[in-house]
Amino acid sequence: MPPNLALSLLPRALVRRWLRRRHPRSARWVVEQRCLYILPTGAGWLFAATVALMLLAAINLQLSLGYLMCFTLAGTGFAALLMTHRTLRGLQFQLREPAPGFAGQPLALKVECVNPGAARHGIALVWETGKRSRPAWVDVPAQGHAVVELHWTPPTRGRHELPTLRVQTRYPLGLFCAWTLWRPAAQALAWPAPETHAPPLPRPQAQPQATTARALREDGDFSGVRAYRRGDAPHELLWKKSAHHGELVTRERQAGSPAPLALRWQDAGNNAGSGAGDTEARLSRLAAWVQAASRADVPCALELPGVRIAAATGAQHRQRLLQALALWSAPQGTAASD
């Protein structure tokens, strides 16, 4: 029998309203007496029925050893009840800052379990999402803490409130199930899912010839030395080597950094198939382009209706662009297909 069978018999709206009052969203959750529930499992009900039948048999046959066996098993059951309840009481749970990820892909969420008392064993954490999910198991040492990793898949882009987390245990004998519900206050950020077969990156912005030539000369990494050529910058001359060789030598540099790209909202709808004018389809294409530009280490800028981010490179810039795509909403009076 599931642990929340008694609650499932009530109307869902009443149950949800009652749970929201009793379990408000919080950054840290301490399992107290008032928010800890316990019920017999299927094995527990079978155990109780077996003990009851043995007691009836002992009464009818007047068996002293039968009474001893029944009372011993009943005492064991009550001891298991107390131990199951004590396993969760007093535990503290805190969710670490969720790392952003792509919509439709599992996000790794880490929950820290702090134990102020004796060692706790056989604790399971599972999301209350309406779908059967695999629980994550953890044992918390005495006067210590443990970190357990859970996975949750955001359905769409944007910021999402995390679902209710159920913490339960059947330790030590599996006769009873104790559980509590926690509604984390943290929110997870989901980037748009990149388009699977996105077209190539758009062409880089055109740069003046003088600027390009200067970038080729002055930008890039040092790769060696060469003989002086007319027009080389004076600060590139190597005077000590020139004195040693008897002729002017200068630094040889690799090609300059690539020209920046402009990832525009208008370009994301060109030459696309079905659903090209849809907002989410364009954002997915732009997310794929951001990923491609980041892998190629090409500086890129992002231009959305009402949003303009200058060109740059690096992991922080990539996250900034993806966050802008995740949180973007069309300004009033702007058509999504513009």
Side-chain angles (χ1 to χ4, degrees):
M1 182 180 66
N4 54 354
L5 177 60
L7 298 179
S8 64
L9 300 178
L10 300 175
R12 292 185 177 180
L14 294 178
V15 173
R16 290 174 182 173
R17 198 179 306 119
W18 179 77
L19 287 176
R20 287 172 183 170
R21 292 197 305 266
R22 197 172 184 86
H23 301 268
R25 291 195 175 273
S26 60
R28 188 180 183 89
W29 183 249
V30 180
V31 183
E32 300 175 348
Q33 182 75 23
R34 59 180 296 274
C35 59
L36 181 57
Y37 318 102
I38 186 169
L39 281 176
T41 63
W45 287 113
L46 182 60
F47 177 83
T50 303
V51 173
L53 290 176
M54 292 177 61
L55 180 60
L56 289 177
I59 292 174
N60 290 333
L61 300 177
Q62 294 295 317
L63 297 176
S64 300
L65 291 179
Y67 287 117
L68 178 61
M69 180 66 69
C70 292
F71 296 150
T72 301
L73 292 177
T76 303
F78 280 112
L81 171 67
L82 294 176
M83 291 189 66
T84 303
H85 188 272
R86 191 179 301 172
T87 298
L88 290 185
R89 189 177 60 186
L91 282 179
Q92 303 173 13
F93 298 91
Q94 184 173 359
L95 181 68
R96 295 183 178 179
E97 185 67 22
F102 293 103
Q105 299 181 8
L107 297 181
L109 306 174
K110 294 185 178 181
V111 178
E112 184 176 2
C113 311
V114 180
N115 179 18
R120 317 295 177 96
H121 304 281
I123 301 173
L125 292 83
V126 61
W127 297 111
E128 287 277 333
T129 57
K131 299 180 181 179
R132 178 179 293 274
S133 57
R134 180 177 299 178
W137 297 89
V138 62
D139 295 330
V140 190
Q143 302 293 329
H145 71 281
V147 178
V148 58
E149 183 174 292
L150 299 170
H151 293 86
W152 176 71
T153 303
T156 58
R157 68 179 178 93
R159 293 194 181 276
H160 298 271
E161 290 185 342
L162 297 177
T164 303
L165 182 65
R166 185 172 80 242
V167 183
Q168 65 183 25
T169 183
R170 298 188 179 188
Y171 180 83
L173 300 180
L175 301 180
F176 298 90
C177 181
W179 79 96
T180 185
L181 300 177
W182 175 33
R183 301 171 62 209
Q187 293 183 337
L189 177 63
W191 301 324
E195 186 177 359
T196 305
H197 301 288
L201 288 170
R203 294 183 178 181
Q205 297 176 344
Q207 292 183 335
Q209 184 177 2
T211 304
T212 304
R214 183 179 178 183
L216 291 174
R217 291 195 309 265
E218 299 183 359
D219 294 346
D221 298 330
F222 175 76
S223 61
V225 296
R226 59 172 173 82
Y228 172 78
R229 300 173 187 168
R230 187 174 182 179
D232 289 340
H235 65 271
E236 296 289 343
L237 291 174
L238 301 174
W239 297 104
K240 291 184 179 181
K241 287 186 176 294
S242 299
H244 178 73
H245 292 284
E247 60 178 355
L248 294 176
V249 294
T250 184
R251 294 183 179 88
E252 177 73 20
R253 292 186 178 273
Q254 297 177 352
S257 58
L261 299 176
L263 307 180
R264 300 185 179 90
W265 173 264
Q266 297 82 355
D267 299 337
N270 296 338
N271 301 326
S274 175
D278 182 67
T279 300
E280 300 303 322
R282 294 195 183 206
L283 294 175
S284 296
R285 176 163 296 182
L286 289 172
W289 283 349
V290 170
Q291 288 289 91
S294 178
R295 288 192 296 266
D297 198 21
V298 177
C300 60
L302 180 64
E303 297 181 8
L304 299 173
V307 177
R308 175 69 170 86
I309 300 179
T313 57
Q316 293 184 353
H317 181 67
R318 166 183 168 272
Q319 292 194 6
R320 183 185 178 191
L321 297 183
L322 291 175
Q323 180 175 348
L325 295 174
L327 303 179
W328 182 84
S329 58
Q332 295 182 357
T334 301
S337 58
D338 290 345

